[in-house]
Amino acid sequence: MLNEVKFEGHIEEVRLKNEKVLKFTVVNQQRGKLRKITATVFNGMTTGSIYNSVEELIGRLVVVEGELFESNYLDKRTNQWVNTYCVQVSGLVAR
């Protein structure tokens, strides 16, 4: 089963960056409603160009295309389970 996502918004910030992965926040605010996603892009063969362009697009309007995954993990600080979702980016288009 494939869970595809297309989300339009402004890149707010880069939350994590290392040589393998980059996580960033995309925000969409319309009619007083705030929607926010955390997107993940890997520095690989097919997504390397996206990985390199995200920092240049901070503050700009983009469309993020990707696949939605459930991500559950144990928070080491609070010792509680966190249930969240991750968008694995396969395409990024600047508007």
Side-chain angles (χ1 to χ4, degrees), residues 2-63:
L2 184 65
N3 298 313
E4 292 186 23
V5 173
K6 273 191 174 181
F7 189 85
E8 183 179 55
H10 292 85
I11 297 179
E12 184 178 58
E13 67 177 335
V14 173
R15 300 187 71 164
L16 170 74
K17 182 179 181 182
N18 60 38
E19 67 243 7
K20 294 181 182 178
V21 68
L22 185 132
K23 290 187 178 213
F24 59 100
T25 306
V26 182
V27 177
N28 179 314
Q29 186 170 6
Q30 291 182 348
R31 296 183 211 114
K33 292 185 179 181
L34 181 69
R35 293 176 178 90
K36 187 183 287 194
I37 64 167
T38 299
T40 303
V41 63
F42 294 97
N43 190 10
M45 298 278 282
T46 58
T47 57
S49 61
I50 298 169
Y51 175 91
N52 293 325
S53 66
V54 168
E55 289 183 311
E56 298 169 3
L57 296 173
I58 292 176
R60 293 198 40 204
L61 183 64
V62 296
V63 175

